[in-house]
Amino acid sequence: MNVKLDPWSSTNVEDYSKLFEEFGIMPFDDLYSRIEDPHRLMRRKVIFGHRSYDRILDAIQNKRPFAVMSGFMPSGRIHLGHKMVMEEIIWHQQKGADAFVGIADREAYSVRGTSWKKCRDTGINEYILSLIALGFEPHGHIYFQSDSNNVKDLSFELGSKVNYSELSAIYGFTGETSVSHMVSAVTQSADILHPQLEEYGGPKPTVVPVGADQDPHIRLTRGLGHKMNMFKIEGREDKNGKHYFSIRSKAAPREALEELADQIPGGTKLFEGHLDVLDADDFEELIRMIRDVELRYGGYAFIPPAATYHRFMSGLQGGKMSSSTPESHIALLDEPKEGSKKIKRAKTGGRISLEEQKKLGGEPDKCSVYELLLFHLIEDDQELSQIYEECVTGQRNCGSCKNLAAEKMEKFLKDHQEKRELARERLDEYLL
């Protein structure tokens, strides 16, 4: 299939299962049974894949520190696709995560040519107000990339661990790609890793909710996190078939290895540049000790970030949803009645005639209106299931679904826009 994932274009994935094979994304279904009170996007398999999300579940279940981080490029209007990510961030915040939201103004400036002033205005008036209106709490962190010295300083250090060839392999950059565009990609890795800085409590599992097109950022960041760490841990086997671990220094002073040798119980052997651990009954405790020593010697000890991946929404007229095509999407600042009208003009999964609809049933899996109900407008699973069953058995016509979705969308937009005005009065609470 050779799927191309590009964070800066309208990527369309027709078979999500291919992402498991080609990019190593894991099926989210494998973890679903462990999630208490799952978000509707999880229940309905809109979130289809993950990387290392088991670490996040362990943190939630054991009430250990963890973080959630994602960001938004302030180059256009906020729409329902952005709302999905915001809801995932807020759900994790409610589960105990330290929540970070970055406004990617460096990316917007370098990739879209958006002025700094417009980045600021759009970031606040489109994205941040909606984020707060949807329920983001003020103990979280909202920031602009250009304002965050932590992000800028970390991105400079990360830049020393990556070269043009690697960025080209991941993103498809060419000789025409600007240096600022490349810097913005590394800046997003700094966005993702900076919740693990000492200022925010140090290393912790961090999850990044994204659409599948953003996976290049996740892969780059996981690789950079490994490169930044002082130690590399390898599983080995001696000549008798016994397993052991070798802790190899990448940038750690010998004193750090010596300290580890003194701390780790059981048999160890210290060599030039590495330490063999012959008996390690508790691997997690071994990792903790290595991490603590690295931090004492000025390292970062980054934990590779986790990610969740959600399906893309279809355009209201079929095909891909595009921010540049107003009729293909509903923006959160659309007039409520205009949002309702867009739904009534939307393409459905209905048959050519009412008679054929009754005979063959509709195709809700190909219907942009049903997708709105599935992704956003109906919380009750039983109600949604009934609509699906009535559609496929021909008991329900497209007009009734359009009317239902239009009514709910109009109500949502009116309510959300009222909450945005209340959010404007609370901006000081969020240190903006």
Short mmCIF file of all heavy atoms in Angstrom, two decimals, residues 15 131 135 142 166 194 198 201 209 226 235 256 263 270 339 341 348 400 406:
data_model
loop_
_atom_site.label_atom_id
_atom_site.label_comp_id
_atom_site.label_asym_id
_atom_site.label_seq_id
_atom_site.Cartn_x
_atom_site.Cartn_y
_atom_site.Cartn_z
N ASP A 15 -7.46 2.39 4.43
CA ASP A 15 -7.41 1.14 5.19
C ASP A 15 -6.48 1.35 6.38
O ASP A 15 -5.25 1.28 6.24
CB ASP A 15 -6.91 0.00 4.29
CG ASP A 15 -6.94 -1.36 5.00
OD1 ASP A 15 -7.22 -1.38 6.22
OD2 ASP A 15 -6.68 -2.37 4.34
N LEU A 131 -11.04 25.47 23.52
CA LEU A 131 -10.45 24.50 24.45
C LEU A 131 -10.99 24.70 25.86
O LEU A 131 -11.41 23.74 26.52
CB LEU A 131 -8.93 24.64 24.43
CG LEU A 131 -8.15 23.74 25.40
CD1 LEU A 131 -8.22 22.28 24.97
CD2 LEU A 131 -6.68 24.19 25.48
N GLY A 135 -13.90 22.46 28.40
CA GLY A 135 -13.68 21.93 29.74
C GLY A 135 -12.25 21.82 30.20
O GLY A 135 -11.98 21.25 31.26
N ILE A 142 -1.19 26.02 28.80
CA ILE A 142 -1.41 26.45 27.42
C ILE A 142 -0.32 27.46 27.09
O ILE A 142 -0.07 28.39 27.86
CB ILE A 142 -2.79 27.13 27.24
CG1 ILE A 142 -3.92 26.20 27.74
CG2 ILE A 142 -3.02 27.49 25.79
CD1 ILE A 142 -5.30 26.86 27.73
N GLU A 166 17.76 12.43 7.85
CA GLU A 166 16.73 11.80 8.68
C GLU A 166 15.39 12.50 8.51
O GLU A 166 14.34 11.85 8.37
CB GLU A 166 17.16 11.81 10.15
CG GLU A 166 18.34 10.91 10.46
CD GLU A 166 18.84 11.11 11.87
OE1 GLU A 166 19.59 12.07 12.11
OE2 GLU A 166 18.47 10.29 12.74
N HIS A 194 8.87 18.16 26.35
CA HIS A 194 9.13 19.10 27.44
C HIS A 194 8.27 18.89 28.69
O HIS A 194 8.68 19.32 29.77
CB HIS A 194 9.07 20.56 26.93
CG HIS A 194 7.75 21.24 27.07
ND1 HIS A 194 6.70 21.01 26.21
CD2 HIS A 194 7.31 22.15 27.97
CE1 HIS A 194 5.68 21.76 26.57
NE2 HIS A 194 6.02 22.47 27.63
N GLU A 198 12.49 18.90 34.26
CA GLU A 198 12.50 19.00 35.72
C GLU A 198 11.45 19.99 36.23
O GLU A 198 10.83 19.78 37.26
CB GLU A 198 13.90 19.43 36.18
CG GLU A 198 14.07 19.51 37.69
CD GLU A 198 15.46 19.95 38.08
OE1 GLU A 198 16.31 20.16 37.18
OE2 GLU A 198 15.71 20.10 39.30
N GLY A 201 8.25 18.23 36.91
CA GLY A 201 8.26 17.00 37.70
C GLY A 201 9.14 15.90 37.16
O GLY A 201 9.18 14.81 37.72
N PRO A 209 -2.43 12.65 21.77
CA PRO A 209 -3.57 12.28 20.91
C PRO A 209 -3.45 12.98 19.55
O PRO A 209 -3.33 14.21 19.50
CB PRO A 209 -4.80 12.79 21.68
CG PRO A 209 -4.29 13.22 23.03
CD PRO A 209 -2.86 13.55 22.85
N HIS A 226 15.28 8.80 22.64
CA HIS A 226 16.31 7.77 22.86
C HIS A 226 17.71 8.36 22.69
O HIS A 226 18.63 8.09 23.49
CB HIS A 226 16.13 6.61 21.89
CG HIS A 226 15.07 5.63 22.28
ND1 HIS A 226 15.12 4.90 23.45
CD2 HIS A 226 13.92 5.27 21.66
CE1 HIS A 226 14.06 4.12 23.52
NE2 HIS A 226 13.31 4.33 22.47
N GLY A 235 19.18 -6.15 26.13
CA GLY A 235 19.03 -7.50 26.63
C GLY A 235 20.04 -8.41 25.94
O GLY A 235 20.19 -8.37 24.71
N ALA A 256 28.99 7.83 36.72
CA ALA A 256 27.58 7.43 36.71
C ALA A 256 27.46 5.92 36.65
O ALA A 256 26.63 5.32 37.34
CB ALA A 256 26.87 8.07 35.53
N GLN A 263 24.75 0.67 43.32
CA GLN A 263 23.34 0.69 43.73
C GLN A 263 22.59 -0.60 43.39
O GLN A 263 21.72 -1.03 44.13
CB GLN A 263 22.61 1.86 43.07
CG GLN A 263 22.90 3.21 43.69
CD GLN A 263 21.99 4.27 43.12
OE1 GLN A 263 21.00 3.97 42.45
NE2 GLN A 263 22.29 5.53 43.40
N LEU A 270 31.49 -4.26 35.90
CA LEU A 270 31.73 -2.93 35.33
C LEU A 270 32.88 -3.01 34.32
O LEU A 270 33.96 -3.52 34.63
CB LEU A 270 32.08 -1.95 36.45
CG LEU A 270 32.35 -0.50 36.03
CD1 LEU A 270 31.12 0.11 35.36
CD2 LEU A 270 32.79 0.33 37.23
N GLY A 339 -24.50 25.95 10.34
CA GLY A 339 -24.08 24.58 10.59
C GLY A 339 -25.19 23.60 10.31
O GLY A 339 -24.98 22.52 9.74
N LYS A 341 -27.67 24.06 8.19
CA LYS A 341 -27.89 24.02 6.74
C LYS A 341 -26.85 23.13 6.04
O LYS A 341 -27.16 22.41 5.10
CB LYS A 341 -27.84 25.43 6.16
CG LYS A 341 -29.05 26.29 6.52
CD LYS A 341 -28.89 27.69 5.95
CE LYS A 341 -30.07 28.58 6.34
NZ LYS A 341 -29.89 29.97 5.85
N THR A 348 -25.20 11.64 2.05
CA THR A 348 -25.54 10.57 2.99
C THR A 348 -25.18 9.21 2.39
O THR A 348 -24.71 9.11 1.27
CB THR A 348 -27.03 10.59 3.33
OG1 THR A 348 -27.78 10.17 2.16
CG2 THR A 348 -27.50 11.96 3.77
N SER A 400 -34.77 11.98 8.15
CA SER A 400 -34.92 11.97 9.61
C SER A 400 -33.56 12.11 10.29
O SER A 400 -33.42 12.78 11.31
CB SER A 400 -35.63 10.70 10.07
OG SER A 400 -34.88 9.55 9.72
N ALA A 406 -28.94 17.93 12.32
CA ALA A 406 -28.99 19.38 12.16
C ALA A 406 -29.46 20.06 13.44
O ALA A 406 -28.90 21.08 13.87
CB ALA A 406 -29.90 19.75 11.00
#
